[in-house]
Amino acid sequence: VKQGKLPNGTFAWVLVPIGADASADPLASLRATPGGVLFGAAAHPALSLVAAVPLLDAALDEDKNRFALAALPGLCPWAAETLSSESVSLKTKFGQNPFEAAEAIASGKPRPGHSVLGQGTFRDAKPLWEHLAVRYAQTEQALEAVLYREAGAVDDGVEYLADHSAAGLKTSGGAMMRLAFGNSAAKPAA
């Protein structure tokens, strides 16, 4: 396990093969914000995310009271299926406008009468999208959330539009799951 501060202020833990030089592809990696929030757990494509466990252990050895943000890739297609199969109950619970906005985010296509997926769409979809994100984060498809939970974290809410990247908006509508370790589970995130 190698660790260090990156130029952008984030901290990284990297798992490399024994004896490998600095240019070797990492087997796994994990990052933290300057404030210590864990994110970006990743593994080499040939490995499962379990490869990041030693890095998570190292991070928690330094501070057991951390938060983590888990990416939710796959939320959009899962949400599209859920919206289709549960349309009546979700429209009843959240309303037509949030339902249509959530459908637009899930499909990546603007609502009828709109030319883009804009701020209004994301604003209108927020309560329903957060509901869907919490449910998706409980599935085994949400690998990073599963990793953090298996290390003792508890769900602490959804960070809506936390991932503004094109890939994040396309695959998760920008949502990330916030999880808390140790005593952080009893405190609000900063």
Side-chain angles (χ1 to χ4, degrees), residues 15 27-30 39-56 70-71 73 140-148 150:
L15 184 64
L27 300 175
S29 61
L30 176 66
F39 70 100
H44 186 278
L47 301 172
S48 77
L49 197 53
V50 172
V53 167
L55 306 174
L56 185 53
E140 60 186 37
Q141 295 168 286
L143 297 176
E144 193 174 4
V146 170
L147 173 75
Y148 297 142
E150 287 180 354

Side-chain angles (χ1 to χ4, degrees), residues 97-180:
N97 198 34
F99 183 85
E100 289 176 358
E103 277 187 317
I105 293 169
S107 69
K109 297 177 184 166
R111 292 184 277 184
H114 294 79
S115 59
V116 297
L117 280 175
Q119 291 178 354
T121 299
F122 284 95
R123 179 196 62 235
D124 293 347
K126 185 177 180 183
L128 177 50
W129 199 257
E130 287 178 337
H131 170 81
L132 293 168
V134 166
R135 287 180 53 193
Y136 179 75
Q138 302 305 313
T139 70
E140 60 186 37
Q141 295 168 286
L143 297 176
E144 193 174 4
V146 170
L147 173 75
Y148 297 142
R149 264 192 228 97
E150 287 180 354
V154 295
D155 292 353
D156 194 52
V158 173
E159 290 289 333
Y160 191 66
L161 292 176
D163 186 351
H164 291 89
S165 70
L169 292 171
K170 183 177 182 176
T171 65
S172 69
M176 296 181 83
M177 191 69 194
R178 186 178 60 246
L179 298 101

Side-chain angles (χ1 to χ4, degrees), residues 18-102:
I18 295 173
D21 64 18
S23 64
D25 285 340
L27 300 175
S29 61
L30 176 66
R31 294 179 286 165
T33 66
V37 177
L38 302 173
F39 70 100
H44 186 278
L47 301 172
S48 77
L49 197 53
V50 172
V53 167
L55 306 174
L56 185 53
D57 290 344
L60 293 173
D61 283 346
E62 291 178 19
D63 183 357
K64 295 194 182 317
N65 301 313
R66 291 184 181 267
F67 287 94
L69 288 176
L72 300 173
L75 171 57
C76 285
W78 180 90
E81 285 182 31
T82 303
L83 289 164
S84 176
S85 66
E86 300 177 22
S87 61
V88 173
S89 63
L90 291 172
K91 282 179 191 174
T92 301
K93 184 173 182 175
F94 293 96
Q96 183 71 25
N97 198 34
F99 183 85
E100 289 176 358

